[in-house]
């Protein structure tokens, strides 16, 4: 046990008393730092440290990056404004469906970006979850007047909407 303690103490104390740092650049241009002098014959610079000296370092800039042109910001594509139109329904159209089905098809002026989704609103309330598809199949809708619009969301915020379409669903009553 004493032998292990002695070895551990010797290793730790050697690093505590090392107050000289040797630095040199090899033939390939690589900068080296060590607490012992190099065996090669490259010119060596020494840095002496007292026990109370502290060094503050800043991130090193690689030598090759100094010679190249400054990095440019990644180009952000400017997206043209998004416009949505409902293509298969007309204003104040009467839809006859015994099952209460309404299909809504839309066209966009551009493709959706990664963080954009479409949400159908039926009578002002969301129908289903936001999606990237431009087609909805509404099922079991009650008879009567309905307002349909589609909005585009980007990170949860409304960025575009289609005109509000009023449709009349005729469905046999279930009395």
């Amino acid at each position: 046990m004493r032998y292990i303690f002695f070895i551990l103490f010797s290793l730790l104390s050697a690093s505590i008393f090392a107050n000289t740092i040797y630095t040199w650049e090899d033939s390939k241009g690589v900068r080296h730092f060590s607490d012992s002098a190099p065996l090669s014959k490259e010119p060596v610079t020494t840095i002496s440290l007292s026990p109370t000296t502290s060094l503050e370092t800043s991130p090193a800039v690689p030598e090759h990056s100094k010679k190249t042109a400054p990095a440019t910001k990644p180009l952000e594509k400017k997206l043209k404004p998004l416009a949505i139109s409902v293509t298969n329904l007309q204003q104040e159209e009467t839809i006859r469906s015994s099952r209460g089905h309404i299909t809504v098809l839309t066209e966009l002026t551009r493709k959706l970006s990664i963080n954009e989704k479409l949400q159908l609103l039926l009578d002002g309330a969301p129908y289903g979850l936001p999606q990237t598809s431009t087609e909805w199949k509404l099922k079991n809708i009650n008879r009567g007047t309905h307002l349909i619009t589609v909005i585009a969301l980007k990170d949860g915020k409304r960025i575009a909407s289609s005109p509000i379409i009023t449709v009349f669903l005729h469905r046999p009553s279930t009395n």
Side-chain angles (χ1 to χ4, degrees):
M1 178 71 174
R2 252 191 247 173
Y3 182 72
I4 293 172
F5 178 76
F6 178 74
I7 291 173
L8 216 62
F9 177 76
S10 299
L11 291 172
L12 292 175
S13 64
S15 64
I16 292 172
F17 295 114
N19 60 0
T20 302
I21 298 174
Y22 299 92
T23 178
W24 69 96
E25 195 171 298
D26 65 15
S27 61
K28 296 179 181 176
V30 177
R31 172 73 57 191
H32 296 273
F33 295 90
S34 177
D35 59 354
S36 59
L39 300 175
S40 61
K41 298 186 181 186
E42 285 95 6
V44 175
T45 305
T46 58
I47 303 170
S48 296
L49 300 175
S50 66
T52 59
T53 304
S54 64
L55 293 178
E56 291 190 23
T57 61
S58 60
V61 177
E63 195 66 33
H64 64 81
S65 68
K66 293 178 185 174
K67 296 174 185 173
T68 60
T72 58
K73 291 182 182 179
L75 296 175
E76 292 183 19
K77 287 185 178 178
K78 280 219 168 193
L79 298 175
K80 65 179 180 177
L82 181 63
I84 307 167
S85 59
V86 177
T87 59
N88 68 321
L89 300 174
Q90 301 299 317
Q91 190 64 265
E92 297 186 0
E93 179 179 348
T94 300
I95 300 170
R96 299 181 194 287
S97 171
S98 60
R99 293 184 183 180
H101 292 189
I102 302 173
T103 299
V104 179
L105 303 175
T106 59
E107 283 186 0
L108 308 175
T109 55
R110 65 168 172 82
K111 289 184 178 182
L112 295 174
S113 68
I114 294 173
N115 52 352
E116 295 176 340
K117 300 233 180 206
L118 299 174
Q119 175 70 62
L120 183 123
L121 300 178
L122 177 64
D123 300 327
Y127 185 89
L129 296 173
Q131 63 186 36
T132 56
S133 173
T134 59
E135 179 180 332
W136 289 265
K137 295 187 184 224
L138 312 180
K139 296 181 181 179
N140 201 25
I141 305 301
N142 292 331
R143 60 189 266 176
T145 304
H146 297 285
L147 304 175
I148 297 174
T149 187
V150 176
I151 62 171
L153 303 169
K154 180 176 184 176
D155 299 322
K157 296 180 183 176
R158 184 184 293 205
I159 59 168
S161 67
S162 70
I164 297 172
I165 305 277
T166 303
V167 295
F168 306 106
L169 180 61
H170 279 238
R171 185 175 180 185
S173 67
T174 56
N175 291 2

